[in-house]
């Protein structure tokens, strides 16, 4: 199946009260793992590249070619959107030109008026090319490619103004953070989420920092309008744990256990299993 825009899959998720998982990739193994998990779950999926990951992988063109070619070679039939995660303005435009089917322009660190104007420009160019757009109001806590946020709560009125630019889905700070959640984290602000959902009138909402949020809070957020949930840190954690176990058990020293195809296999399988588990959490299994 060809890569698709995320617009329709997230609108269907919003109406159906489930969420689509958006999983960040870092290499060939992770891309295969995400696609395999989505296919086996019969679920739509979004594969994301951060700016840093894309640079590591060789550039946006390489990321696009890798995902597109794997969809063909693996016989993937579920809808897949290739999405830029937390992109600067120029990166969003470049990804649209390369062939990404969805982009996030993250101007949350800019003065709001500038964020709004640049969002309008990205929307105009993206929609002319059939590409869906995500933007952010109220920075998400933690750090993502050098963009640092304290986990503030978004202003619902600003969310409304951003929604009215024509973006397809909205990321809004509701107390969520990137990376591992500290023990003193107070949880998501559902009052803020409900107010944003009401004022944006059915716009699919995005939950960043999806790793480590308890199942009950995830499902409550979905019931209030969250239609896309980002997962990255947990994939990194299970990949690292499985790889560490393989080496600590000395399996890399058995025969040709040092072969990277064998060395990376446990971590790859762990990512697939996590993707399938989170798809079940989000309720998108069987929705392809």
């Amino acid at each position: 199946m060809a890569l698709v825009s995320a617009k329709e899959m997230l609108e269907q998720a919003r109406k159906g009260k489930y969420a689509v998982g958006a999983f960040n990739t870092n290499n060939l193994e992770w891309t295969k793992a995400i696609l395999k998990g989505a296919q086996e779950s019969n679920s739509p999926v979004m594969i994301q590249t951060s700016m840093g990951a894309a640079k590591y992988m060789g550039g946006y063109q390489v990321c696009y070619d890798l995902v597109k070619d794997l969809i063909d070679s693996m016989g993937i039939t579920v809808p897949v959107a290739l999405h830029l995660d937390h992109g600067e303005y120029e990166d969003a435009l470049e990804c649209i030109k390369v062939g990404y089917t969805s982009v996030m322009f993250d101007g949350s660190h800019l003065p709001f008026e500038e964020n709004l104007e640049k969002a309008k420009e990205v929307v105009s160019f993206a929609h002319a090319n059939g590409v869906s757009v995500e933007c952010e109001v109220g920075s998400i806590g933690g750090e993502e490619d050098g963009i640092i946020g304290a986990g503030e709560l978004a202003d619902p009125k600003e969310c409304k103004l951003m929604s009215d630019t024509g973006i397809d889905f909205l990321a809004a700070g509701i107390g969520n953070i990137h990376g591992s959640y500290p023990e003193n984290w107070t949880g998501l602000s559902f009052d803020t989420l409900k107010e944003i959902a009401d004022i944006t009138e059915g716009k699919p909402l995005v939950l960043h920092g999806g790793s480590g949020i308890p199942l009950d809070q995830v499902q409550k957020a979905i019931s209030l309008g969250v239609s896309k949930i980002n997962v990255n840190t947990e994939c990194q954690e299970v990949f690292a744990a499985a790889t560490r176990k393989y080496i600590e058990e000395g399996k890399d020293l058995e025969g040709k256990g040092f072969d990277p195809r064998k060395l990376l296999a446990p971590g790859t399988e762990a990512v697939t299993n996590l993707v399938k588990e989170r798809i079940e959490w989000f309720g998108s299994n069987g929705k392809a």
Side-chain angles (χ1 to χ4, degrees):
M1 183 174 187
L3 283 165
V4 299
S5 160
K7 177 179 172 62
E8 184 178 350
M9 68 170 70
L10 294 188
E11 288 178 348
Q12 290 178 347
R14 182 75 166 81
K15 292 174 184 175
K17 293 191 179 299
Y18 61 89
V20 173
F23 303 92
N24 286 58
T25 188
N26 294 281
N27 58 23
L28 170 70
E29 283 76 20
W30 284 46
T31 308
K32 290 172 65 178
I34 296 165
L35 289 171
K36 186 172 186 286
Q39 184 69 26
E40 292 181 358
S41 302
N42 193 31
S43 169
V45 71
M46 295 179 68
I47 294 180
Q48 304 190 145
T49 65
S50 67
M51 294 185 295
K55 183 178 180 180
Y56 168 78
M57 292 170 70
Y60 295 120
Q61 186 68 56
V62 173
C63 297
Y64 169 78
D65 290 339
L66 176 64
V67 174
K68 177 179 176 293
D69 290 347
L70 282 175
I71 287 173
D72 293 338
S73 65
M74 293 175 68
I76 301 300
T77 59
V78 300
V80 180
L82 176 57
H83 182 74
L84 171 65
D85 188 27
H86 289 283
E88 298 280 3
Y89 176 78
E90 295 295 341
D91 291 79
L93 298 184
E94 181 181 349
C95 284
I96 295 167
K97 294 173 185 175
V98 162
Y100 276 53
T101 56
S102 188
V103 295
M104 177 188 187
F105 161 61
D106 182 0
S108 60
H109 56 293
L110 301 172
F112 180 67
E113 288 303 321
E114 185 179 353
N115 185 9
L116 206 61
E117 287 308 308
K118 279 186 163 58
K120 292 176 183 177
E121 293 174 15
V122 173
V123 166
S124 176
F125 186 56
H127 285 182
N129 288 275
V131 174
S132 54
V133 179
E134 171 185 351
C135 288
E136 183 175 314
V137 174
S139 63
I140 311 302
E143 179 179 350
E144 186 83 11
D145 274 359
I147 297 176
I148 300 173
E152 66 207 51
L153 302 181
D155 181 341
K157 293 179 181 177
E158 290 186 350
C159 289
K160 171 64 173 171
L161 291 171
M162 182 61 75
S163 177
D164 288 346
T165 64
I167 62 171
D168 300 290
F169 33 105
L170 172 70
I174 55 171
N176 44 325
I177 66 172
H178 292 119
S180 300
Y181 282 80
E183 290 184 6
N184 63 350
W185 181 58
T186 57
L188 299 176
S189 173
F190 293 111
D191 289 342
T192 303
L193 176 56
K194 186 178 186 307
E195 192 173 352
I196 292 169
D198 288 344
I199 201 169
T200 55
E201 301 172 341
K203 182 81 66 178
L205 302 177
V206 181
L207 181 62
H208 282 247
S211 296
I213 298 176
L215 175 59
D216 61 330
Q217 291 198 41
V218 166
Q219 293 182 334
K220 185 171 182 180
I222 292 171
S223 74
L224 292 173
V226 165
S227 311
K228 170 181 181 274
I229 301 179
N230 288 17
V231 180
N232 184 24
T233 299
E234 283 180 313
C235 288
Q236 294 177 340
E237 290 171 342
V238 299
F239 185 90
T243 304
R244 183 184 306 112
K245 182 174 184 290
Y246 180 87
I247 294 174
E248 288 179 346
E249 291 178 350
K251 292 182 179 178
D252 60 316
L253 303 176
E254 298 174 1
K256 289 192 175 182
F258 54 81
D259 184 326
R261 291 170 292 182
K262 295 181 178 180
L263 180 64
L264 299 176
T268 303
E269 182 180 5
V271 172
T272 293
N273 291 337
L274 179 71
V275 167
K276 292 167 70 173
E277 181 182 275
R278 288 297 169 267
I279 282 173
E280 190 171 340
W281 273 32
F282 304 159
S284 66
N285 47 313
K287 298 295 197 300

